[in-house]
Amino acid sequence: MIDFHTVGELIRLAEEKDVPVHEIVIAREMHDAQRSRQSLLDEMTKNWEVMQAAVERGIENEEHSLSGLTGGDAQRLYASAGKGWLGAHVLQAAAYAVGVSEVNAVMGRIVACPTAGSCGILPAALYAARAQRHVSDAAVVDALFTAAGIGMVIDRNASIAGAEGGCQAEVGTASAMAAASSVYLMGGSPEQCFAAAGLAIQNMLGLVCDPIAGLVEAPCQARNAAGASNALVSAELVLAGVPEVIPFDEVVEAARQVGHALPESLRETALGGIAATPTACRL
């Protein structure tokens, strides 16, 4: 049986067996789910197809959610790419993330990776990579399994639920998964992948979960855009040679402690933060 609780163990297993990290993740899932390697690859390929469809629907979407809080924002953001301060690549990724979040808000089909509230971040980074770097779908599927390894470790040692660890647990985890995937698709080493993931979490440490009216719409969609941008910046920092100061596994432990320290009002209850402002209460 192949199993791992930390990124350190994941890297060690990959080195011992002389295989990429994603193969260790696949092997563990084969054991846990009692499924064949091909069936897992086929399912992840379907996930990627759903992600792409959500991105494409999102940037064309004009439909507003039932609450009226979101709708058409991704289309506007995408149209402005290259016209403002940010380069077109980063702004397009942000638009993709907002778009998928909007698809979720109108009850469209998305992949919760790791949650519905953070569903736009990983698809945005991967879609942007495919568009700019012309990477193959097979490489993206491998990147998704690398991202899955990140999610598994965080889920085991901290939390991926906003109700338990705040939005750092959702958007922070998704951003870490996206950062690692981005580095992988740029040819980075496993150590670089996880260093970027650690930076992404550090940049969002303490992020509260305060959905207006208890809906996964605002400020969630803007945080999806920020999470996608954070992932790309974290990847670029590591690829540029910026050293890892705190190992990923220690970052996850810090995130666990911070998440537990957050008061209940800032953990998805809509009782504090932005959700408790006068305007949010009126809405």
Side-chain angles (χ1 to χ4, degrees):
M1 174 184 175
I2 291 180
D3 196 13
F4 55 88
H5 290 78
T6 67
V7 153
E9 293 174 358
L10 177 54
I11 292 176
R12 179 179 54 78
L13 283 167
E15 290 174 345
E16 287 177 356
K17 298 185 178 296
D18 194 25
V19 295
V21 163
H22 64 262
E23 290 294 346
I24 300 298
V25 177
I26 292 171
R28 175 185 154 181
E29 189 66 11
M30 287 172 63
H31 177 274
D32 289 356
Q34 291 296 293
R35 294 175 58 181
S36 69
R37 183 178 189 278
Q38 190 58 52
S39 72
L40 293 174
L41 290 172
D42 290 344
E43 183 174 356
M44 193 65 88
T45 299
K46 290 178 182 177
N47 287 339
W48 172 226
E49 290 169 355
V50 172
M51 289 178 180
Q52 292 176 82
V55 167
E56 290 159 7
R57 175 180 173 181
I59 58 175
E60 295 178 355
N61 175 60
E62 295 182 350
E63 182 183 0
H64 281 69
S65 65
L66 189 62
S67 70
L69 290 174
T70 63
D73 297 326
Q75 186 184 65
R76 285 186 283 272
L77 189 61
Y78 186 76
S80 70
K83 299 177 182 178
W85 291 107
L86 290 177
H89 174 61
V90 175
L91 200 57
Q92 285 171 353
Y96 299 152
V98 171
V100 176
S101 182
E102 288 186 329
V103 169
N104 178 58
V106 296
M107 302 299 129
R109 193 179 185 200
I110 55 95
V111 178
C113 49
T115 64
S118 59
C119 65
I121 297 169
L122 184 54
L126 294 172
Y127 197 93
R130 195 193 65 163
Q132 186 181 46
R133 310 295 301 186
H134 305 293
V135 296
S136 67
D137 287 335
V140 171
V141 168
D142 289 344
L144 281 167
F145 278 108
T146 301
I150 294 280
M152 289 174 176
V153 168
I154 297 174
D155 187 41
R156 277 193 163 188
N157 295 287
S159 176
I160 60 171
E164 184 175 5
C167 203
Q168 67 167 27
E170 298 198 22
V171 168
T173 298
S175 193
M177 293 165 72
S181 299
S182 299
V183 172
Y184 173 84
L185 292 173
M186 286 289 288
S189 67
E191 290 79 8
Q192 288 178 311
C193 289
F194 298 124
L199 281 179
I201 294 174
Q202 290 176 63
N203 293 341
M204 296 196 151
L205 205 61
L207 184 61
V208 302
C209 186
D210 50 354
I212 294 173
L215 301 172
V216 185
E217 297 182 29
C220 313
Q221 73 168 25
R223 289 178 182 167
N224 272 258
S229 304
N230 175 47
L232 296 177
V233 170
S234 297
E236 293 285 11
L237 283 167
V238 170
L239 290 168
V242 175
E244 176 186 44
V245 178
I246 307 299
F248 178 85
D249 290 321
E250 292 183 27
V251 172
V252 172
E253 172 57 21
R256 185 190 68 81
Q257 294 180 19
V258 170
H260 287 175
L262 290 174
E264 182 182 0
S265 63
L266 301 178
R267 287 188 277 119
E268 209 173 3
T269 57
L271 297 174
I274 293 297
T277 61
T279 297
C281 290
R282 287 196 299 272
L283 288 169

